[in-house]
Amino acid sequence: MRKRRIGILTGGGDCPGLNAVIRAAVRTANNDHDYEVLGIQLGFEGLMTGAMVELTPELTRGILPKGGTLLRTTNRGNPFEYAGADGKKEDRSKVVLETVARLGIDGIIAIGGDGTLKIAQRLYELGVPMVAVPKTIDNDLAATDYTFGFMTAVAVATDAVDRLHTTAESHDRVMVLEVMGRNAGWIALYSGLAGGADIILVPEIPYRTEEIVKTIRERQREGAMFDIVVVAEGAKREGGEESYLDKSTRRLGGIAYQVAADISQHIDLEVRVTVLGHIQRGGSPIAFDRILASRFGKEAADLAARGEFGRMVALRGENIVSVPIRDAISNPKLVDTQSQLVKTALSLGVSFGDGR
Ligand code: F6P
């Protein structure tokens, strides 16, 4: 009799820790459940093309500290809105159902962010046995305290803040660092706090240029002739809009240049901009993310083997639990402007550019 089978895929943007999830799921499926694991290539695309590879513990050996994803990934490939050769979108979800039946897949672990989880939920509603693992450096998924990849991104951004500090201080400059995070300010808030930034601009708290200038002048009066501004890519001026590199795809970017141009008009310090970009997403996961990803991978394999579908693994306090996938996609998790974390930052003298 053939072994029971779990498929596993990574969807959306990559993130440090994906390989750690894959490795943990493969090991758990083999060691605890006697399941075999099929690695589905290029996210949901592999469920339409049938591009898969059997993942054995041997094949996944050594991937724990590696960034990226062994299975590759894409932001495209939504089976419900699949772009054909003529560019027209069509619903290919039936092809997914056929592939799952043909290959006798008993459960699919989808590792992804908001977009991937929405697709997973729709497929689950059509009868595909889906289990989900939340992933994003943005940490903006509801229903889990943290997503893996986030702390690695924070560590990279904090290192950048530290480096900018020494050069800012040497030259009496204002350094504006733009970090990722989409419409959530988590990476900016955490790295800004960890690096001791003077001004942190997050999407949840629209800023006023005059408040940033006020903070810079106050610091000058106190003898600090340099400033570190950490700005989330999704931040916006009060009454203004987000800055897009490409509005049609809603690709954020460039707000740091806007902030720099605005404040330059009012201060006599030089202003420089650093856009950190995909460095935050590449490379090896830090220990926290390796452990969280491994715990998620184990729990996801357990859920699939127990037949608990339509559920997503999540971190709640110290424990890994499971929640309905739909709970994670209902609303993004944003920075609470009245939270203890924000209040701590304010007590430490951080300005959010809103005059508090
Ligand atoms: O969601 C993760 C993320 O890195 C965001 O922080 C960022 O806005 C986006 O993906 C960048 O996407 P892409 O890799 O497609 O440019």
Side-chain angles (χ1 to χ4, degrees), residues 100-351:
V100 172
R102 178 167 50 83
L103 296 176
I105 298 176
D106 301 292
I108 296 177
I109 298 172
I111 315 168
D114 189 49
T116 302
L117 298 185
K118 281 182 179 147
I119 297 169
Q121 174 65 19
R122 282 185 76 180
L123 287 173
Y124 168 67
E125 284 164 13
L126 287 181
V128 181
M130 300 295 311
V131 166
V133 177
K135 156 251 65 156
T136 167
I137 62 163
D138 305 334
N139 199 40
D140 61 349
L141 281 178
T144 183
D145 289 352
Y146 289 102
T147 47
F148 66 87
F150 168 63
M151 286 299 185
T152 301
V154 169
V156 173
T158 303
D159 181 57
V161 174
D162 289 348
R163 287 169 192 280
L164 290 173
H165 247 121
T166 59
T167 172
E169 213 166 344
S170 308
H171 285 269
D172 291 353
R173 281 176 171 163
V174 178
M175 294 294 190
V176 185
L177 173 69
E178 179 174 313
V179 298
M180 283 184 163
R182 256 184 238 276
N183 298 102
W186 295 110
I187 299 176
L189 179 58
Y190 270 65
S191 62
L193 264 175
D198 309 297
I199 296 156
I200 302 175
L201 306 176
V202 294
E204 296 86 348
I205 309 176
Y207 65 85
R208 293 194 293 277
T209 306
E210 56 271 28
E211 290 301 335
I212 303 175
V213 171
K214 201 168 130 194
T215 304
I216 293 172
R217 289 204 178 124
E218 267 167 26
R219 279 177 47 81
Q220 275 183 304
R221 274 196 297 279
E222 289 160 7
M225 306 307 284
F226 69 95
D227 306 272
I228 302 291
V229 183
V230 178
V231 54
E233 62 180 359
K236 51 182 180 290
R237 209 188 292 135
E238 209 175 78
E241 283 194 356
E242 289 96 350
S243 170
Y244 290 103
L245 290 175
D246 180 356
K247 209 160 184 182
S248 66
T249 57
R250 300 184 66 75
R251 199 147 70 86
L252 290 160
I255 186 69
Y257 290 99
Q258 203 172 298
V259 170
D262 289 348
I263 59 177
S264 293
Q265 295 174 19
H266 306 281
I267 55 169
D268 48 6
L269 297 171
E270 279 188 282
V271 184
R272 292 287 189 272
V273 168
T274 304
V275 179
L276 208 48
H278 289 80
I279 290 170
Q280 293 158 96
R281 237 166 68 183
S284 189
I286 63 166
F288 177 90
D289 285 334
R290 292 183 198 187
I291 294 166
L292 181 58
S294 298
R295 295 178 74 191
F296 277 174
K298 178 243 182 309
E299 194 64 26
D302 285 347
L303 283 178
R306 289 201 301 265
E308 290 184 34
F309 300 116
R311 301 194 68 82
M312 182 190 88
V313 298
L315 177 70
R316 290 279 171 87
E318 286 297 304
N319 298 314
I320 305 296
V321 299
S322 82
V323 297
I325 299 174
R326 88 180 92 76
D327 284 5
I329 53 182
S330 40
N331 282 309
K333 185 179 68 183
L334 301 177
V335 171
D336 175 355
T337 59
Q338 300 303 324
S339 62
Q340 203 179 51
L341 201 58
V342 168
K343 286 184 178 154
T344 300
L346 287 167
S347 297
L348 299 183
V350 171
S351 162

